[in-house]
Amino acid sequence: MNLKANVKPLALLDEGSEGVVVDVIGGRGAMRNLLALGIVPGIKIKVLGNRGGTLLVLINGSKFVIGRGLAMKVIVHAK
């Protein structure tokens, strides 16, 4: 089984898709913003909406809107 086949940026997941964060890339500002939202390696994340320039995601029962640029820095293993 090739695990790398299902590893991609959060921004590329379809609506309704779930995954587990495996890595977060970016500078200090991006890392700080993602950490404030609770987006860290090992956390489960679900994409509720992926339209236009933003994503609506569900993390630990809370909904957040994330810009596409920031979502490209979150690497997930899609289920």
Side-chain angles (χ1 to χ4, degrees), residues 1-72:
M1 184 164 118
N2 186 0
L3 293 177
K4 290 191 177 193
N6 290 335
V7 176
K8 59 180 93 175
L10 176 62
L12 300 182
L13 291 183
D14 295 326
E15 287 184 20
S17 297
E18 296 182 6
V20 176
V21 176
V22 294
D23 197 9
V24 178
I25 55 176
R28 282 184 274 186
M31 297 290 279
R32 183 175 49 243
N33 291 339
L34 292 167
L35 179 62
L37 295 174
I39 300 175
V40 294
I43 197 80
K44 291 181 184 178
I45 192 165
K46 181 174 183 176
V47 178
L48 300 176
N50 187 350
R51 299 183 186 170
T54 60
L55 279 82
L56 176 63
V57 296
L58 181 67
I59 306 163
N60 288 334
S62 298
K63 296 177 185 177
F64 298 100
V65 175
I66 302 174
R68 185 158 305 279
L70 202 53
M72 288 297 290

